[in-house]
Amino acid sequence: LSPDCSFTCHYRCRALVRLDCSGPPGASDEDDGTEQALEKDTNVDEPSEWEKAELDQAQVEQRIKEYNSQINSNLFMSLNKDGSYTGFIKVQLKLVRPVSVPATKRVPSLQAGRPGPRTQGVKRRTSFYLPKGTVKHLHILSHTRVSEVIDALLRKFTVVDNPRKFALFERSEKDEQVYLRKLADEEQPLRLRLLAGPSEKVLSFILKENETGEVNWDAFTLPELHNFLRILQREEEEHVRQLRHRYARCRQKMQEAL
């Protein structure tokens, strides 16, 4: 391992961890790093002018016809009698941290002769990393909000983490630059899809961690918070140990010089 690299993991998983911080990253990592840098450099917070446009009923109907004529799949948009419309959006999941899913372990009953359930469910959690490039299509309504889309995605993958830990972003490319904007909870992704058209370069949706700059500690459970405290305590103890070792060596060198 590189001396500048450190990591924290479960003691049983330590033997399974393989890190090479000094080696050159793979091609896919380079692509992700380049895109990440572009996204940070060209990040925008305000929606563009076309996203603010208001459409009447006739314009919505015309836009839906144009949209359906440009796609090569059966993921069409449909206009409803009440003026709303339905359609599909594709969301790419780019999660750096693992997600938690429920794992139910069946425990056999100690008294099998008694009437009643013979097994008892024990609620547990297991965590894993979603594969890179995971994509999910959702069929939603025009008035479906961003917060509802996030909830639906978590349900699809049976993720039990708090939805506030995640955020939906819109990604667009223009003039060889990548623009990334965090969508507000009240925005309507299908409306944005209709206004932008079917092109993924013009607009695509990405689910990422909700990086707000400030940690929302209320979104974590008590076991997670206790684990964070233990990790911080270990890091503090290690930092103090390194400082004491450094000053002890300086003291030794000065005594040798004297």
Side-chain angles (χ1 to χ4, degrees), residues 168-180:
L168 192 66
F169 291 79
E170 67 169 17
R171 180 187 181 278
S172 59
E173 297 180 20
K174 184 179 180 181
D175 299 330
E176 298 183 353
Q177 289 187 340
V178 177
Y179 294 85
L180 194 70

Side-chain angles (χ1 to χ4, degrees), residues 142-192:
S142 55
H143 54 75
T144 302
R145 299 173 298 162
V146 165
S147 57
E148 296 171 325
V149 169
I150 295 176
D151 290 338
L153 285 171
L154 298 184
R155 287 197 303 269
K156 290 285 187 181
F157 291 95
T158 65
V159 175
V160 296
D161 292 308
N162 195 307
R164 288 182 292 177
K165 295 181 182 180
F166 307 93
L168 192 66
F169 291 79
E170 67 169 17
R171 180 187 181 278
S172 59
E173 297 180 20
K174 184 179 180 181
D175 299 330
E176 298 183 353
Q177 289 187 340
V178 177
Y179 294 85
L180 194 70
R181 183 176 73 90
K182 178 183 174 182
L183 298 177
D185 289 340
E186 301 301 321
E187 293 193 64
Q188 301 164 339
L190 190 62
R191 176 181 175 275
L192 298 177

Side-chain angles (χ1 to χ4, degrees), residues 1 7 13-20:
L1 296 180
F7 69 95
C13 304
R14 183 176 180 181
L16 303 176
V17 176
R18 296 290 184 269
L19 294 177
D20 186 7

